[in-house]
Amino acid sequence: MRLYDTLSGGVRDFAPLRPGHVSIYLCGATVQGLPHIGHVRSGVAFDVLRRWLTAKGFDVAFIRNVTDIDDKILNKAADAGRPWWEWAATYERAFTAAYDALGVLPPSAEPRATGHITQMVELIDRLIDRGHAYAGDGDVYFSVATLPDYGKLSGHRVEDVHQGEGAATGKRDQRDFTLWKGAKPGEPSWPTPWGRGRPGWHTECVAMCEAYLGAEFDIHAGGMDLVFPHHENEIAQAEAAGDGFARFWLHNGWVTMGGEKMSKSLGNVLAIPAVLQRVRAAELRYYLGSAHYRSMLEFSETALQDAAKAYSGIEDFLHRVRNRVGAVVPGEWTPKFGAALDDDLAVPMALAEVHAARAEGNRALDAGDHDAALTHAMSIRAMMGILGADPLDERWESRDETSAALAAVDVLVHAEVRRREDARARRDWAEADAIRDRLKEAGIEVTDTGDGPQWSLLEGSDKRPELDGADK
């Protein structure tokens, strides 16, 4: 397996630090508001990595943190007149619901920043003792000039560094970044050797990485917008403290609109609940995971609907096989599928294998070769399972109200089809035609095949089963 490592600037052979065990840390959400599809893309992308490693037999420790204390959280909570902890908890639940809706596996642990103040204080103490940090006016800063190779992840030259923190009276050098923020009136604070205060953003992830995965671990992942300053400053702290830290750095591309990064400030936000009114959760999962994780994903309604149709094509084939042949259990992925994912998670190539198998399976089914069709269907289930979007997985079938409604309709339609077959057996052509016409008026087409009559919704029909009380 080979992965693109941002630090080295190229694809490298991946081998875990400990044989048989892979340790991954993903920078999670700053829970300041509702999640949009740009937020959860990293969750989907690295969920595929985790599933693939697990499928290859690795034991995977997957840590995804929650930033529950931050300037934005405090400001938004204050503007709304709500306690900061309530604000953070509310939107943490919203993110959890979004990840769950899209089939992202729960992390091995999901630490909160506020739960690891002790580890942060200990880390900062180590940095001060080693001459890489200093206190000033109640704050504590990291001295960038003490680390000769600062900037190696992002490519920034030290002389051009700007932390974006604004002027601070206690800083010796404006290139330095904040490890600990001194207490301010009305803000939460914790006691430390340097006075009460709260953690800086860059410190919390280092402390949590090492608390759960150790001083050196396999993979640190996150969005490409975190390369600088967040991840650059994480490396600086860890190395200044004498730790090996992450051996691979993986970064996913943005979801963009009009070529711009999706963000609240641009006003081009697509919240998960809103998108799930237009496509099913499995279809949104398929869409977000279909591009290579390092590429930009330019959002458009057309692209979203195209992805939904592609997913439905896979789903329809599996349903056809199940209806004609019988149960479809996951089988083996194809060699090309495995080679694609081993090549830096090349999901577009992996999906090409899925669709090739679907096409071959449909041809086999039409030719009456049920054994070949079943083999292809089993392979597709295995491959789509690794991509987290197996249409026959119970999580999608049980959660998809449309599928549940169609299953109910299937029972009713088959009862009508049996009545039609009985009428035909009695040569009561008028009754048989009347049943067929009623079904057609309801948007249902019955086709007589060698395997008996099969039904489907007419192409372009708007007579979808209506779900009482649910969004349609």
Side-chain angles (χ1 to χ4, degrees), residues 162-295:
H162 186 279
Q163 299 291 347
E165 295 181 342
T169 56
K171 277 189 182 183
R172 298 173 184 170
D173 186 325
Q174 287 304 309
R175 296 173 299 181
D176 296 345
F177 60 88
T178 307
L179 301 176
W180 188 261
K181 298 185 176 185
K184 295 179 182 177
E187 288 190 353
S189 64
W190 289 261
T192 74
W194 325 287
R196 297 189 66 87
R198 60 183 175 89
W201 179 35
H202 311 306
T203 305
E204 63 186 56
C205 281
V206 180
M208 288 186 280
C209 282
E210 299 193 349
Y212 290 86
L213 300 178
E216 186 174 13
F217 56 96
D218 292 310
I219 296 170
H220 196 313
M224 64 179 295
D225 52 318
L226 299 180
V227 173
F228 186 88
H230 189 48
H231 288 168
E232 190 74 73
N233 290 347
E234 283 189 47
I235 291 179
Q237 292 169 83
E239 293 191 351
D243 299 331
F245 213 52
R247 300 170 67 243
F248 277 77
W249 287 85
L250 273 60
H251 292 95
N252 64 277
W254 298 331
V255 177
T256 58
M257 291 183 70
E260 295 186 86
K261 176 177 176 285
M262 188 172 292
S263 67
K264 289 182 173 59
S265 61
L266 290 176
N268 55 6
V269 175
L270 284 168
I272 299 298
V275 180
L276 292 181
Q277 292 179 0
R278 304 201 297 280
V279 294
R280 294 176 295 161
E283 292 165 344
L284 179 55
R285 160 97 191 202
Y286 179 95
Y287 170 68
L288 290 175
S290 60
H292 193 283
Y293 77 96
R294 287 195 289 117
S295 67

Side-chain angles (χ1 to χ4, degrees), residues 10 18 72 85 119 134 229 289 298 308 313 325-326 331 336 348 358 360 404 412 430 441 444 446 449 458 467 470:
R18 288 169 46 202
K72 293 177 181 178
W85 49 265
Q119 290 89 339
Y134 58 92
E298 174 68 13
V325 184
K336 287 184 179 180
R358 178 184 63 85
E360 288 294 323
L412 299 176
E441 186 179 352
I444 295 167
V446 177
T449 74
L458 287 168
L467 311 177

Side-chain angles (χ1 to χ4, degrees), residues 138-149:
D139 300 324
V140 182
Y141 303 98
F142 184 92
S143 177
V144 167
T146 64
L147 207 65
D149 59 355

Side-chain angles (χ1 to χ4, degrees), residues 426-461:
R426 299 192 308 269
R427 295 181 177 275
D428 187 348
W429 308 117
E431 175 66 9
D433 289 346
I435 293 171
R436 181 199 60 200
D437 291 344
R438 281 201 303 272
L439 291 171
K440 189 171 184 179
E441 186 179 352
I444 295 167
E445 182 176 40
V446 177
T447 304
D448 295 311
T449 74
D451 296 311
Q454 304 290 329
W455 74 271
S456 62
L457 292 174
L458 287 168
E459 187 71 27
S461 172

Side-chain angles (χ1 to χ4, degrees), residues 332-410:
E332 299 291 332
W333 61 79
T334 69
K336 287 184 179 180
F337 177 89
L341 291 190
D342 275 342
D343 183 16
D344 193 33
L345 295 181
V347 171
M349 297 301 295
L351 279 174
E353 270 297 284
V354 171
H355 288 288
R358 178 184 63 85
E360 288 294 323
N362 274 320
R363 282 192 284 269
L365 201 58
D366 292 341
D369 188 350
H370 288 178
D371 288 343
L374 181 59
T375 297
H376 285 302
M378 292 168 63
S379 178
I380 287 172
R381 282 209 66 187
M383 294 185 286
M384 290 297 286
I386 290 167
L387 299 179
D390 171 14
L392 297 189
D393 186 284
E394 63 179 8
R395 77 163 291 113
W396 298 124
E397 290 206 315
S398 64
R399 285 171 176 262
D400 179 7
E401 291 175 314
T402 300
S403 290
L406 289 175
V409 170
D410 185 61

Side-chain angles (χ1 to χ4, degrees), residues 3-12 153 247-250 293:
L3 295 171
Y4 184 92
D5 172 31
T6 305
L7 183 59
S8 64
V11 177
R12 296 199 290 124
L153 180 70
R247 300 170 67 243
F248 277 77
W249 287 85
L250 273 60
Y293 77 96

